[in-house]
Amino acid sequence: MRRDPATAHLGLMLALTFSTGIIDAVGYLGLDRVFTGNMTGNVVILGMGLAGGTDLPVGGPLIALAAFMGGAAVGGRALRGASSAWTARHSVLFGAVGVVIALAAVPAALVDAPGRGLQYAVTAALGLAMGCQAAAARHVAVKDVTTVVVTSTITGLASDSVLGKGGGQPWKRRAGAILLIGLGALTGALLLKLHIGAGMALSAVLTLVVAWMGHVTHPGRGARLPYDAA
C-alpha cells in the first residue's frame, strides 16, 4: 500500500463512505429521522419540519446541522497549513472521529429506549464527528469521494456517461461510492434491529481502522498525490 498510496487512500475514503451510510441509517431510523452525515437531506427535513403539520422533527436536525458545522470548523482549523496529501494530522482527526462515534455508542448501547435528551446528545456527537470527517476527507481530496454525500458523484456518473457527454470517466470510483453508501445504509438498518449502538460500534471500528491504515500508508513529506487520475 505504501507503493501506491493514492489507490490506498481512495479505498480508505470509500470505506468511510460505507461507514457514513451506517451512521445516517442509525440517525434517520433510530434518532427520530435525523441525518448526521448527509446535511442536504437534513436541511430539507428541517425546512419541511419548520412548515408545521408534517410530523417532521426540527430540534434534531438543528442540532445535527450545528454540530456538523462545528466539527467541520474544527477539522478545517486543525488542517490549516497542512499538505493536501495525507499527513499525521489527518490520522489524528480520523482517529478522533472514530473515538467520538465509539463514545456515542456507549450510552446508546446501555439504554434500550433512548429518551429525547439522550437522542439529542448522540445526534450532536455524531454530527460533530461527521463534520470533522467531511473536512478531513475534503482536505485529502480524493476526487468524487467526499465520504458524506454522493449527489455530485451521481451527477458526474450520469453526465459523463455514454448517454451524456461521453469521453470516459472514473466510473468505478463513482459507482463504488454510490453503492457503498447504500450498502452502509442497508447494514445500519439491519444492525438497528439488534440495537441502536450496534451500527455506531461498527462505524467506529471502521473509522479507527481507516485512521491507522492511512497513517501507515501515507508517503510523508507532503508531495501531492495524483488523486485526480481516473
Side-chain angles (χ1 to χ4, degrees):
M1 294 179 72
R2 284 180 179 272
R3 294 178 180 178
D4 190 5
T7 299
H9 296 164
L10 169 60
L12 296 179
M13 294 302 101
L14 288 173
L16 288 180
T17 302
F18 175 79
S19 176
T20 297
I22 296 174
I23 290 298
D24 270 340
V26 170
Y28 191 82
L29 298 175
L31 298 173
D32 193 23
R33 292 168 291 179
V34 174
F35 290 110
T36 54
N38 179 6
M39 286 300 110
T40 301
N42 212 38
V43 170
V44 171
I45 290 174
L46 176 60
M48 293 187 294
L50 288 172
T54 59
D55 195 33
L56 289 172
V58 172
L62 274 174
I63 291 172
L65 182 60
F68 186 95
M69 293 178 68
V74 169
R77 180 76 177 188
L79 291 170
R80 179 181 292 184
S83 167
S84 295
W86 194 296
T87 68
R89 298 190 207 179
H90 295 85
S91 301
V92 170
L93 285 175
F94 286 127
V97 169
V99 169
V100 170
I101 296 173
L103 292 175
V106 172
L110 297 176
V111 179
D112 290 331
R116 186 58 57 88
L118 181 55
Q119 286 185 349
Y120 283 166
V122 173
T123 295
L126 295 181
L128 182 73
M130 291 295 98
C132 186
Q133 174 184 298
R138 182 173 183 266
H139 199 268
V140 174
V142 176
K143 186 178 180 182
D144 295 314
V145 186
T146 66
T147 76
V148 294
V149 66
V150 293
T151 302
S152 60
T153 306
I154 294 172
T155 302
L157 183 65
S159 176
D160 296 338
S161 70
V162 293
L163 298 177
K165 70 177 184 179
Q169 62 164 312
W171 67 269
K172 291 182 180 179
R173 75 172 64 187
R174 289 173 172 174
I178 297 165
L179 177 64
L180 283 170
I181 202 168
L183 288 176
L186 172 62
T187 302
L190 292 173
L191 289 175
L192 198 61
K193 296 180 179 181
L194 297 177
H195 198 280
I196 189 173
M200 286 187 279
L202 176 57
S203 179
V205 170
L206 287 173
T207 306
L208 289 171
V209 170
V210 165
W212 176 76
M213 293 187 70
H215 181 69
V216 300
T217 58
H218 81 78
R221 304 299 181 267
R224 184 175 178 84
L225 300 174
Y227 290 125
D228 289 344

